[in-house]
Amino acid sequence: MDIASDPADIPLADLTLLFNVLSYVDEPLGLLDSIAARCDGSAVAVREASSLRFGPMPAGRFDAIDVDLQQTVAQVPPFRLFDLDRTYAALAGSSFARREVEFELFERTAPFPPEVGAYLDGTLWWIADNISPANGAWLEDWRTRHQPVGGEPAYLVEVDVVAILRSTG
Ligand SMILES: C[S@@+](CC[C@H](N)C(=O)[O-])C[C@H]1O[C@@H](n2cnc3c(N)ncnc32)[C@H](O)[C@@H]1O
């Protein structure tokens, strides 16, 4: 289904999870308000990555990758990369009776457990596919040198905006 055009078709549930999807929606406030209007005592849990950093890498390289991303996928509607301000405004402005909006730090250092290695692999493949060929090849080399466990130091730091929204008080 398309949650953006058919929010009324989102199944009724005690708890609806919106994890990394609001950044794909043109009008996140309208989507949230359509769920809030149910007033059925249900809750919505939101998680949206607002920043990501991994390394270490030579000075300037991460910035170059970031600039590439901003010039490619970050500007292709409806997706918006690390769309914190629009997401935060929608969460804080939604008509839910109760809103708890916070931030969480997700940080891991090598050696990564398997699930973090898999997450980092997937994230780096996605980034490599969406940046310049030169930076993409460099990143793929960095990934293979740091996965799955690797002897080299590596870190992953992500800040997520998280929220619990309740349709009744
Ligand atoms: C970054 S993924 C997040 C997937 C999952 N929630 C998670 O946290 O791993 C975003 C997902 O939202 C889906 N999506 C984007 N826009 C959508 C829309 N308008 N209606 C339904 N799904 C959508 C995409 O197909 C993709 O599967």
Side-chain angles (χ1 to χ4, degrees):
M1 65 167 295
D2 183 342
I3 58 169
S5 60
D6 307 311
D9 291 345
I10 295 174
L12 298 176
D14 295 330
L15 177 64
T16 300
L17 308 181
L18 297 175
F19 284 8
N20 289 312
V21 290
L22 288 182
S23 49
Y24 289 79
V25 175
D26 276 333
E27 295 179 20
L29 179 61
L31 171 60
L32 293 174
D33 279 348
S34 72
I35 302 175
R38 292 174 172 176
C39 290
D40 57 359
S42 65
V44 175
V46 175
R47 180 176 206 98
E48 197 73 39
S50 69
S51 70
L52 176 70
R53 186 77 161 84
F54 48 85
M57 50 186 64
R61 179 65 75 165
F62 189 87
D63 290 341
I65 292 170
D66 202 36
V67 166
D68 274 3
L69 280 178
Q70 289 300 329
Q71 291 174 345
T72 56
V73 284
Q75 306 301 329
V76 179
F79 177 60
R80 299 161 179 88
L81 185 65
F82 304 143
D83 190 27
L84 173 60
D85 289 330
R86 211 175 55 104
T87 301
Y88 192 92
L91 293 170
S94 65
S95 55
F96 284 89
R98 290 172 58 193
R99 298 183 298 262
E100 299 165 45
V101 184
E102 299 175 1
F103 289 87
E104 278 185 7
L105 178 67
F106 177 80
E107 50 86 15
R108 296 288 186 276
T109 53
F112 299 116
E115 69 276 13
V116 174
Y119 172 65
L120 186 59
D121 267 346
T123 301
L124 295 186
W125 279 323
W126 181 84
I127 292 175
D129 278 348
N130 287 288
I131 56 181
S132 68
N135 278 332
W138 187 93
L139 186 61
E140 177 58 12
D141 179 63
W142 188 93
R143 188 189 65 78
T144 54
R145 280 189 287 111
H146 291 81
Q147 293 286 325
V149 176
E152 297 189 48
Y155 66 84
L156 168 67
V157 177
E158 178 179 313
V159 177
D160 296 320
V161 60
V162 295
I164 298 289
L165 311 166
R166 297 175 202 277
S167 64
T168 55

